[in-house]
């Protein structure tokens, strides 16, 4: 397990985390591949990708611990990155483009002019058939990834800077400054709103769900201009939102009642990013702050009103901006089997749906324009272990 975090000092940090009765986190590598501050990071079961203000996306092969190359498609700061499974990556940037990448050959399959302004955030539906994006043009856009086209545009009163699907795919949230609006997919209407005192920088869904056998058709989606959409339903007792912002507090809210279930001081400075994962039935929250610390917390969902216990912490001695957790093979086994089951069910659903396609659009070959613009740097360098000199440099720059 590797905690990966980017910072203003242009460095990607890797910290090896060892789960045990007493968790430990030790520095593993530092990599200075970007020429500007890091703005986004994403992981799948093999790769870590980072986006930066230098307009590039850097790729790291975590199994070989080498730099895999760079993607040069965007003109502007990379604002958001998200993997779907092991085969695809979506990227958004200040140039208003959303790019769809094949992670086997690292080719740009599609480059979409998504927003008139910047793309501020994007999120892929668990089925892989829909995506949502928000931008500085005050719109929320729904993308039909089966056909590779825009499905619906919703005008917002203000610019949203975060969009995220729930794990069951039945709802999604938008964040505008310090306000979270919760939407239901079947009605596209707001079912609740959460408001905090400070600007929200990051949020995560934490859900205990039990999956139904079989699948259902989602009808009545006139706002998406889709006739039918088949996907695997899930039902959860209650979805919990972990919210972090421009203060030192982490808050847990109920999506159903919008009530604050618990809040606690996690850092000494504002929290820049929050990540969560489940390992062996244990729910772990990871936080990164401008104070330089990365902390791991144990969350007991049966005692959600209790303050999570601190598992471990590490000081990067840098001004952190983004965070992710790359899980090792032991952790991936359950995750991959779940994704395979979901993918298999989604394929069966697609066969019976009215929209009949042999392939999902984003798996087709890229157009000529995308191929001409796409570039991967061939150099592969090993990720370096952190050195004392590097630490001193970061101390001075921080």
């Amino acid at each position: 397990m590797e905690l990966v975090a980017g910072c203003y000092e242009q460095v990607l940090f890797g910290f090896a985390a060892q789960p045990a009765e007493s968790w430990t986190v030790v520095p593993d590598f530092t990599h200075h591949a970007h020429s500007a501050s890091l703005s986004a990071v994403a992981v799948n079961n093999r790769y870590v990708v980072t986006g930066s203000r230098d307009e590039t996306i850097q790729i790291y092969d975590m199994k070989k611990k080498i730099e895999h190359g760079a993607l040069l498609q965007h003109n502007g700061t990379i604002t958001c990155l998200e993997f779907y499974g092991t085969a695809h990556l979506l990227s958004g940037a200040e140039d208003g483009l959303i790019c769809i990448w094949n992670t086997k050959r690292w080719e740009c399959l599609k480059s979409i002019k998504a927003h008139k302004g910047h793309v501020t955030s994007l999120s892929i539906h668990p089925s892989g058939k829909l995506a949502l994006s928000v931008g500085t043009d005050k719109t929320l856009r729904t993308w039909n990834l089966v056909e590779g086209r825009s499905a619906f545009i919703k005008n917002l009163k203000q610019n949203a800077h975060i969009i995220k699907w729930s794990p069951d795919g039945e709802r999604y949230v938008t964040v505008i400054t310090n306000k979270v609006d919760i939407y239901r997919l079947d009605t596209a209407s707001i079912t609740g709103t959460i408001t905090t005192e400070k600007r929200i920088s990051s949020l995560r869904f934490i859900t205990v769900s039990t999956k139904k056998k079989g699948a259902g058709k989602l009808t009545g989606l006139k706002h998406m201009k889709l006739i039918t959409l088949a996907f695997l339903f899930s039902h959860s007792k209650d979805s919990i939102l972990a919210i972090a912002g421009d203060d030192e507090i982490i808050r847990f809210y109920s999506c159903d009642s919008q009530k604050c279930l618990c809040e606690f001081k996690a850092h000494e400075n504002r929290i820049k990013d929050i990540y969560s994962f489940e390992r062996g039935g244990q729910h772990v929250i990871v936080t990164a702050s401008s104070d330089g610390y990365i902390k791991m917390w144990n969350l007991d969902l049966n005692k959600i009103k209790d303050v999570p216990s601190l598992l471990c912490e590490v000081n990067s001695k840098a001004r952190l901006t983004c965070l992710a957790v790359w899980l090792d093979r032991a952790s991936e086994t359950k995750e991959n089997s779940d994704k395979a089951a979901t993918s298999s069910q989604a394929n069966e659903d697609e066969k019976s749906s009215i929209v009949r396609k042999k392939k999902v659009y984003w798996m087709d070959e890229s157009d000529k324009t995308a191929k001409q613009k796409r570039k991967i740097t061939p150099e592969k360098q090993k990720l370096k272990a952190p050195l004392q000199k590097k630490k001193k440099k970061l101390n001075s720059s921080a």
Side-chain angles (χ1 to χ4, degrees), residues 120-123 132-135 138-142 154-166 171-184 188-195 200 202-203 205 241 243 255:
T120 53
S121 181
L122 61 84
S123 184
L132 297 174
S133 66
V134 288
K138 298 181 182 179
T139 62
L140 187 163
R141 297 176 185 249
T142 305
K154 179 180 176 61
N155 292 317
L156 304 174
K157 294 181 180 179
Q158 294 175 278
N159 292 327
H161 63 281
I162 298 176
I163 183 81
K164 192 174 290 293
W165 286 104
S166 63
R171 55 183 136 194
Y172 56 91
V173 298
T174 61
V175 179
I176 299 174
T177 313
N178 65 330
K179 184 180 70 171
V180 181
D181 287 327
I182 304 169
Y183 292 80
R184 282 201 62 83
S189 60
I190 297 176
T191 61
T193 299
I194 297 169
T195 304
I200 297 169
S202 181
L203 59 77
F205 278 95
L241 272 176
I243 298 177
C255 282

Side-chain angles (χ1 to χ4, degrees), residues 4 154 156 164 205 212 230 234 349 371:
V4 288
K154 179 180 176 61
L156 304 174
K164 192 174 290 293
F205 278 95
K212 263 189 176 182
S234 296
D349 294 341
K371 279 189 175 181

